[in-house]
Amino acid sequence: MISILLMSDIHFGVDTAAPYIDDSIRQMTFNKICMLARQHTMFIIAGDLFHAHVIDTPVFSFIINSLQALLDEGVKIIYVPGDAELANNDHPDRVLAIPSTVTFYDNRDDYHTLLEFGGEVIHCYGSKLLIADQLHDIVKEGSDGFHIGVFHVDMGDDNNTNYGMIPVKSLKSMPLDFYALGHHHNFSMYKFKNRIVGAYPGSPEAVTPDEIGDRYVLSITVDNNEIHQIKRITVNSVKMEAVTIQCDTVHSQDELSTILQRYNKSNIVLQCTLEGMRSFDTTVISALCNKCAELVINDHSKPSSQFICNRYKQELSLRGYFYSELHTKITNESPPYLQEIIDDIENMCSSFKGEL
């Protein structure tokens, strides 16, 4: 029995999720992944391990030291570079500096390697190939063992694919036993006739703000030249989450607390979007999410007329007197035209700086 850990797209050096998820977070996550890799026979990295500009930085040294430690402990590492490593890269030095058992780097004369584990054999194939015809050209080298392809490619819709994108249906007719894929940042698994033919593990740590929820690596068990099990393992140190609150339906702070309490955790970056008519101050949300790693409030709501009146009616001023009187004459269900008038008055009151 052979165990394989599959990872892709951790993107050291990326800044699209910053400042919420930076390289220090990715290092924590990569440490977890390396601990898992020690419990496996092979560790496959299917591209976008790092961005080209991190070369000669402490982050790059961290990557090299972590992977070299795995090799020293006997873990076999299969590595295929992705777009991020190859960006603005005229020379393969930075990719070839990554410690591995095998690095597949765009060389059609060296796209196959054979690894033996006791009495079992794994054939690995890899290259930076981006179109289906080239992938179909890679055929099994011999009939023994389990044949696995490692590619950083884009899998597209069967009926609408761009150049360089592989249609999902082509996986069914490709000759290898399994395709370990990188490029997509969400977990996907492909089956054909009750046989798993390919999988994306997705990004193990969010790369963009819309990569919400748990992030994974895949633990794959091969027995008697067949996939016995594929298991998702959650590894992200920080979790991006998103919630949209329809403010019209929230009538008390307790109701707001009920919505937000599941997100108020130290490992969560919360993107909170407010919509509708709001009868509470947004600072309440900050108080209810005080444990979050980060809180981003996207306020698309409008404060209700009652809320505006309550905000100012206690002021010892002309504005306070106006809103105090108005408060006694409006209902909770104010007509839209009145709400617009109150909004205009509030905007003028808050911006006026001259003399009456």
Side-chain angles (χ1 to χ4, degrees):
M1 186 175 293
I2 298 171
S3 57
I4 302 168
L5 191 71
L6 172 59
M7 181 204 84
S8 73
D9 298 279
I10 193 168
H11 283 274
F12 279 105
V14 72
D15 59 4
T16 52
Y20 319 123
I21 300 177
D22 58 17
D23 276 342
S24 66
I25 299 296
R26 297 183 197 285
Q27 285 176 306
M28 291 171 57
T29 300
F30 195 64
N31 277 332
K32 292 182 193 177
I33 294 170
C34 288
M35 289 178 65
L36 290 169
R38 288 179 172 87
Q39 303 166 26
H40 290 73
T41 314
M42 295 171 57
F43 181 29
I44 294 178
I45 304 172
D48 283 358
L49 174 62
F50 64 92
H51 283 243
H53 66 266
V54 306
I55 193 77
D56 297 327
T57 68
V59 171
F60 196 66
S61 298
F62 164 80
I63 296 170
I64 289 176
N65 293 338
S66 299
L67 294 177
Q68 186 60 55
L70 289 178
L71 286 177
D72 294 343
E73 294 181 32
V75 179
K76 305 296 185 184
I77 298 175
I78 308 299
Y79 171 50
V80 169
D83 298 342
E85 293 99 330
L86 300 174
N88 303 315
N89 180 25
D90 297 327
H91 304 285
D93 303 15
R94 67 191 66 181
V95 169
L96 297 178
I98 297 297
S100 69
T101 306
V102 177
T103 294
F104 292 113
Y105 184 77
D106 261 350
N107 188 341
R108 292 305 303 274
D109 297 325
D110 188 23
Y111 65 88
H112 166 260
T113 192
L114 183 149
L115 300 173
E116 296 189 59
F117 304 92
E120 297 192 74
V121 173
I122 294 284
H123 292 265
C124 290
Y125 308 76
S127 185
K128 187 175 178 294
L129 303 177
L130 296 179
I131 59 177
D133 289 344
Q134 290 174 309
L135 285 177
H136 276 289
D137 288 344
I138 295 180
V139 298
K140 289 184 177 181
E141 299 282 337
S143 58
D144 63 325
F146 186 75
H147 298 253
I148 180 170
V150 184
F151 302 102
H152 190 84
V153 292
D154 194 6
M155 197 71 63
D157 180 83
D158 289 343
N159 299 316
N160 183 20
T161 57
N162 297 320
Y163 177 79
M165 186 178 290
I166 300 168
V168 171
K169 63 183 178 183
S170 68
L171 273 182
K172 301 173 184 178
S173 58
M174 286 185 187
L176 304 183
D177 297 318
F178 179 76
Y179 290 84
L181 304 172
H183 186 68
H184 282 313
H185 288 191
N186 292 311
F187 165 74
S188 298
M189 190 162 64
Y190 305 99
K191 292 183 179 181
F192 179 60
K193 293 183 177 179
N194 295 319
R195 183 173 70 90
I196 300 171
V197 295
Y200 286 101
S203 56
E205 199 67 63
V207 178
T208 59
D210 61 339
E211 293 174 29
I212 63 174
D214 291 332
R215 319 301 300 171
Y216 309 102
V217 292
L218 299 184
S219 179
I220 305 167
T221 304
V222 177
D223 191 20
N224 292 324
N225 299 329
E226 292 183 352
I227 291 180
H228 176 68
Q229 177 181 305
I230 292 185
K231 182 170 64 174
R232 290 189 299 179
I233 302 176
T234 303
V235 291
N236 47 321
S237 302
V238 172
K239 187 187 299 187
M240 302 288 293
E241 292 285 10
V243 60
T244 298
I245 299 175
Q246 297 296 333
C247 299
D248 312 70
T249 65
V250 176
H251 305 295
S252 70
Q253 186 166 322
D254 287 343
E255 291 182 9
L256 196 59
S257 178
T258 299
I259 296 171
L260 294 172
Q261 62 184 355
R262 64 182 287 245
Y263 302 107
N264 192 26
K265 299 176 183 177
S266 59
N267 68 328
I268 287 181
V269 172
L270 179 61
Q271 302 172 79
C272 181
T273 301
L274 304 178
E275 295 181 351
M277 201 65 67
R278 174 169 49 83
S279 59
F280 55 85
D281 197 297
T282 55
T283 57
V284 174
I285 296 176
S286 299
L288 293 172
C289 298
N290 61 329
K291 294 179 182 178
C292 287
E294 287 285 346
L295 173 65
V296 181
I297 299 177
N298 302 310
D299 189 4
H300 302 149
S301 67
K302 287 187 175 183
S304 68
S305 53
Q306 288 284 352
F307 175 72
I308 295 172
C309 290
N310 284 327
R311 176 189 290 174
Y312 299 122
K313 69 179 183 179
Q314 300 301 326
E315 280 187 0
L316 298 177
S317 64
L318 179 59
R319 180 171 67 178
Y321 175 76
F322 170 79
Y323 281 110
S324 177
E325 287 296 304
L326 183 61
H327 184 257
T328 65
K329 294 177 172 58
I330 62 175
T331 64
N332 289 328
E333 299 294 333
S334 301
Y337 71 86
L338 180 57
Q339 180 65 44
E340 292 177 8
I341 292 172
I342 293 174
D343 286 343
D344 289 342
I345 293 172
E346 196 227 352
N347 291 332
M348 283 189 290
C349 288
S350 61
S351 62
F352 183 74
K353 296 181 180 179
E355 294 184 2
L356 293 174

